Structures are given as structure tokens and as C-alpha cells.
Amino acid sequence: MAESPSARIMLVALEPEVAALVEATCEGCHFDRIDSSADFVGQYEKWTDDSYHAFICGSKIADFSANEMAQVLLNQCPGTLKYFITSDASKYEPRLLVKNGFTSAYAYPMDAPLIKQSLRENILSRVGQRSFRTVRVLDLSAGDELDFETYIYLPLNNKYIRYTAANTAVDAKKLEKLQDHEMARLWVDHRDMNKFYQYSAMKLRALGESGLSSTERQEKLKDNVRMLFSDIFDQSVKADFDQGKEMIKQCESIISNYVTKGASSNWFQKLMNAIGEGGDTYNHASNVATFAALFGIGIGHPAPEDLAMAGLFHDLGMNQLPLEVQEKTLEQMTPEEQALYIAHPEKSLNMVKMKRIVIPERVEKAIMQHHEMWSGKGFPKQLPSVRISQDAQILSFADQFDYLTREREGAVRVTPLEALEKIRKTGSINPDLLSQIRRLLLKDKEAAAAKTV
Ligand SMILES: [Fe+2]
Ligand SMILES: [Fe+2]
């Protein structure tokens, strides 16, 4: 592609809110638009891989099939990025769309954070803008020389500042300082991720360990959750009991490989590794599954895998609600948002059932009751404390814990113990459960500190 001062992007049949997201993310880029099938047919023959950096297509033209669009674009511009984004659940068929030629297919608003990240990494980085990815501090060792820079993120100022320079040894004091602040993550330029993977693979080999680094395990967890959700939402994936069984297997393997594996021996590290990573549906599901299973393990729950499963599925019914709305309080929501929000536990359960996924009764209960409160003031049923299952309470704690400890632009970082105190004030959780979790957090924090001395 010839040198160009800004990226050229073609928007085809995008819904207005999706177009607004793309335009805001790719500010300064050049946009062309097509909003009718006649215009598409009239123009496509001129396009080559040199015409645009990306085609971003949607479902706004009723008489034009997205799969045909994909085939035409694949034929004309095989090397150009081709995204499909829709808010119309009935048109979301990612498997088919990708098979026909789209690079990726996204559901809006659920995938908004992922769309932004993808635009930043694949389009804006070509025109000089930077994009960062997170890595786990646990994967770095003092004294190692890294051939890439690391950064810390300051959420309050929304800034990345350089933490270690490339080709210098990692300072032991600097790593300790991160631990003191309970910061488990650093950031690297996304183009340096391969260098990071090479470094961590080398390190694991040197230690004689097989498997994955903490960073990769977390990434794989999220990718797998995305694949699972994508199949659940995919209209072209048929809903029958065989398919349902496949999905439950997928779910169980996610849990055993990435959530509960090594959890009892590395409890605090696993907890810290999941903390802070916010920003999208898949991270939230992964984190809530992880936290629920970990707290379950910590208090001797008989089936932490079930808690993890409830964590994965609990907010499936929230896919129509943008993340910003999910972070509002009920009072701040519009009446329509409120109605969607209050119905989401039941909708989550319905989505699981519609795909013929058979889940244990205790998991169903936990999903249905994850917004019920110990005080009796929760929703949807305002159940009194005696009727709320303990699983639902652990799930509810994990859910709130993830919202509170998530890094947010403009917000101060919240530590696990501070989060616990905030949750206590809501009256949503059984005080006995809170004391048990508090003891776990204190005990393991001390143990982790003792290990590093
Ligand atoms: Fe929820
Ligand atoms: Fe949630």
C-alpha cells in the first residue's frame, strides 16, 4: 500500500451508532460511505487492495446479504481487512460470515471494546498511533534483560508511562514496588507482544516448565470465552442437544484449563492476575468465573467448577446493553435501559436453554439470583436472604468485585480489601461470607508478601 498520511476506510451499510463508534475511534482517517446496494454494485469493480485500509460493513441494507458482500470483497480485495459489525442479533452469524470472507464479525454493543482495540491495532497503528496490551508482572523476573519497553497505566490521567527501558535488566526494587501497590500488570506496545511471548517461552523452558505464561493463560481464557459466546449468539449454529453438549464440553474445558488449574496452590497470584482487566464482556465473564471459583475454593465450596460456570454465563442476557449503561446505577438508567437490565438474569438463563445447554440446577439458581441482595432489596424478585442460594451470593460478590477492581479511565485504583469494604456497605452480601473472604484476602496477602521477601 502506498504511503498515506491517514488511513482510508470504507463504511458499507453501517448502522448509525456503529458508524459513530468507528469514526470516533479512527478520528482523522478518511471515510467513504455506501448506503445502498445499487451504489455497492456500481463501485465494487473499481476496488483493489490499494483502495482502502479496511472495509467495515454492516446490516443496514435490508435487500443485501452480508455473506454476498463478503464474497465480493474477498474476490476484489483479498488482502484488505474486512469487518462485519451488527446490532441485529438475527443477522449475527460469525462462523458463516468469516467463512465467506470477512476477517472478523462483531456484535454491537457487546463487542464495542474489542472493535476499538482491533481498529487501533490493525488500522491506526499503520498510521503511527500506538496501542498497548497488558502483560503479567508474574511473568517477569528481576535481573532479566527485556528487549522491549514496559509501561504502567495511570487510569486517573489515562496515560501510559514508561516503566522499564528496552535492553536493560529489570530492577528488583521496581518489581517489588509493583507488588507493594498490588499491581499485577504492566503494558507493552502491541507490536512488542511477540518479543514478550519469546521471552516468556524462553523463561519457562529455562525453568523446565511446560505450559503457558500467566499472560498467555489469561489471553487464552478470554479468547476461548469469546469463541464460546460467539457460538451461543451465532444464528447459524443450530440449537440441538448434541450442539448443546458440545458447548458444555467447551465450557468445562475452559474452566479446567484456565480457571481452576493450579488454583489452590497459587490462590492469591491467580486472584491478582485476574484483577484490573476490565473493559469488555469476555473479560468480565472470565474474571467473574475466576473470582467465583477462587472464593469458592478458598471457603471450601464443594463444586467451584459450578461457580465458574455460573460466572461465565451470568450476564449473557446483557448483550444488548452497552458497557457504559452496565456501569450506571439503576436510578441513572433510562426506563428502557432499566427494563433490559432487570430482565438480564432471566434472559441469560433463557439464552443458555435456547441453545440446549443443560446446566446443573445450582448454576441456574446462581445465575437467576446474582442480583438478589442479602438485604432483600435486590432484583428481579427481591428475595429475602433465607431464599438466596450461597452460590448466588458468591457469584454476586465476584461480580461486584470485578466491577470495583476494574481499571477505569479517570478513576482511582481500588484494592481487593477496599472493594470488599465497599461491597459490605451495599448490604448485598451475607456478613458471614464477607468475613470468610476477608480472612482469605488478609491471609493470602501476607503469604504472598512473605514469599517475595
Ligand atoms: Fe448481572
Ligand atoms: Fe456481571
Side-chain angles (χ1 to χ4, degrees), residues 314-315 318 344 370-371 399:
H314 78 289
D315 275 345
M318 203 98 106
H344 86 261
H370 79 272
H371 285 287
D399 189 24

Side-chain angles (χ1 to χ4, degrees), residues 284-285 288 311 314-316 318 326 341 344 370-371 395-396 398-400 402-403 406:
H284 181 57
V288 175
H314 78 289
D315 275 345
L316 276 178
M318 203 98 106
Q326 297 178 28
Y341 183 68
H344 86 261
H370 79 272
H371 285 287
L395 186 61
S396 169
D399 189 24
Q400 298 180 63
D402 185 51
Y403 277 114
R406 174 184 297 181

Side-chain angles (χ1 to χ4, degrees), residues 2-57:
E3 279 292 339
S4 108
S6 84
R8 288 171 60 81
I9 301 172
M10 170 60 94
L11 308 179
V12 185
L14 273 195
E15 295 158 272
E17 59 277 29
V18 178
L21 172 83
V22 173
E23 284 164 344
T25 310
C26 302
E27 217 189 326
C29 291
H30 173 88
F31 293 102
D32 284 334
R33 286 173 188 78
I34 284 183
D35 284 307
S36 74
S37 47
D39 280 353
F40 189 89
V41 172
Q43 290 190 38
Y44 80 83
E45 279 174 324
K46 293 188 303 209
W47 297 331
T48 66
D49 273 331
D50 280 338
S51 310
Y52 293 98
H53 286 84
F55 288 88
I56 304 180
C57 308

Side-chain angles (χ1 to χ4, degrees), residues 137-157:
V137 172
L138 200 62
D139 292 328
L140 309 177
S141 300
D144 285 357
E145 200 171 285
L146 307 176
D147 55 352
F148 49 88
E149 294 177 330
T150 68
Y151 291 79
I152 49 172
Y153 175 62
L154 304 177
L156 209 52
N157 314 311

Side-chain angles (χ1 to χ4, degrees), residues 425-441:
K425 288 198 184 105
T426 63
S428 57
I429 306 293
N430 180 349
D432 292 341
L433 178 62
L434 286 173
S435 315
Q436 279 177 296
I437 296 177
R438 188 164 190 278
R439 275 199 297 276
L440 280 172
L441 289 173

